[in-house]
Amino acid sequence: MIGMPLKLMVSFLLIGLMLPTIVGMVSVVEEQSSNADTYSDCSAVEDCIYRVFRSGSGSLETVHVDLGPKETIVLGGTGVDAHSIRLYVNEELKKTVYLNKAPVMLSEEVSEIVGSVDVTFGCVIEDRKLVVGVVN
């Protein structure tokens, strides 16, 4: 008779100990799935930049980006920023993609991509180098 309540108590104790871990795992999976869409937009921008760069001066290409309300992709700048795509969520840097597959240089003019937009990239020659930037 006493064995059954003891087993029941141990079962509830184990469930109680595992519950915070399960809840934590669920929140991590939710965050990763929401970031996956944003990361795919970063990849689409990166692929478009490489295609424009490979096509040479005067080439243009458009890519559709669909970011959430608190997400921003920042391109260009000076120094290392001239070779990177930066993803911000709630104004916090979440991911940096360095354009190291080819010697791509982005415009020194910083461009921000927000919302759901079509972004056109163009390639020009500046100081005898190919430079890719956002075309307005």
Side-chain angles (χ1 to χ4, degrees), residues 3 12 16 18 25 28 42 48 50 58 65 71 73-74 77 98 115 122 131:
F12 281 124
M18 292 185 334
M25 289 178 6
V28 167
C42 273
C48 185
Y50 281 128
V65 179
E71 299 170 338
I73 294 177
V74 179
Y98 293 100
V131 177

Side-chain angles (χ1 to χ4, degrees), residues 35-50 63-67 71-75 84-89 94-97 99 113 121:
N35 288 342
D37 292 338
T38 305
Y39 292 162
S40 68
D41 285 328
C42 273
S43 294
V45 167
E46 179 184 15
D47 292 343
C48 185
I49 289 171
Y50 281 128
V63 64
H64 181 74
V65 179
D66 189 18
L67 299 174
E71 299 170 338
T72 305
I73 294 177
V74 179
L75 308 159
S84 68
I85 300 169
R86 288 141 350 252
L87 170 66
Y88 290 87
V89 178
K94 288 292 184 179
K95 184 176 183 178
T96 302
V97 176
L99 301 168
I113 302 171
F121 290 94

Side-chain angles (χ1 to χ4, degrees), residues 47-112:
D47 292 343
C48 185
I49 289 171
Y50 281 128
R51 284 192 303 273
V52 169
F53 177 77
R54 286 188 206 110
S55 296
S57 180
S59 62
L60 296 171
E61 187 157 334
T62 301
V63 64
H64 181 74
V65 179
D66 189 18
L67 299 174
K70 297 182 180 183
E71 299 170 338
T72 305
I73 294 177
V74 179
L75 308 159
T78 58
V80 177
D81 290 344
H83 304 281
S84 68
I85 300 169
R86 288 141 350 252
L87 170 66
Y88 290 87
V89 178
N90 292 327
E91 299 180 11
E92 179 183 336
L93 182 63
K94 288 292 184 179
K95 184 176 183 178
T96 302
V97 176
Y98 293 100
L99 301 168
N100 54 9
K101 292 179 188 173
V104 177
M105 180 171 282
L106 297 173
S107 172
E108 287 185 8
E109 181 180 324
V110 176
S111 300
E112 291 186 0

Side-chain angles (χ1 to χ4, degrees), residues 15-43:
I15 290 171
L17 291 173
M18 292 185 334
L19 195 59
T21 304
I22 293 170
V23 170
M25 289 178 6
V26 168
S27 67
V28 167
V29 168
E30 285 176 351
E31 182 179 328
Q32 287 177 345
S33 67
S34 68
N35 288 342
D37 292 338
T38 305
Y39 292 162
S40 68
D41 285 328
C42 273
S43 294

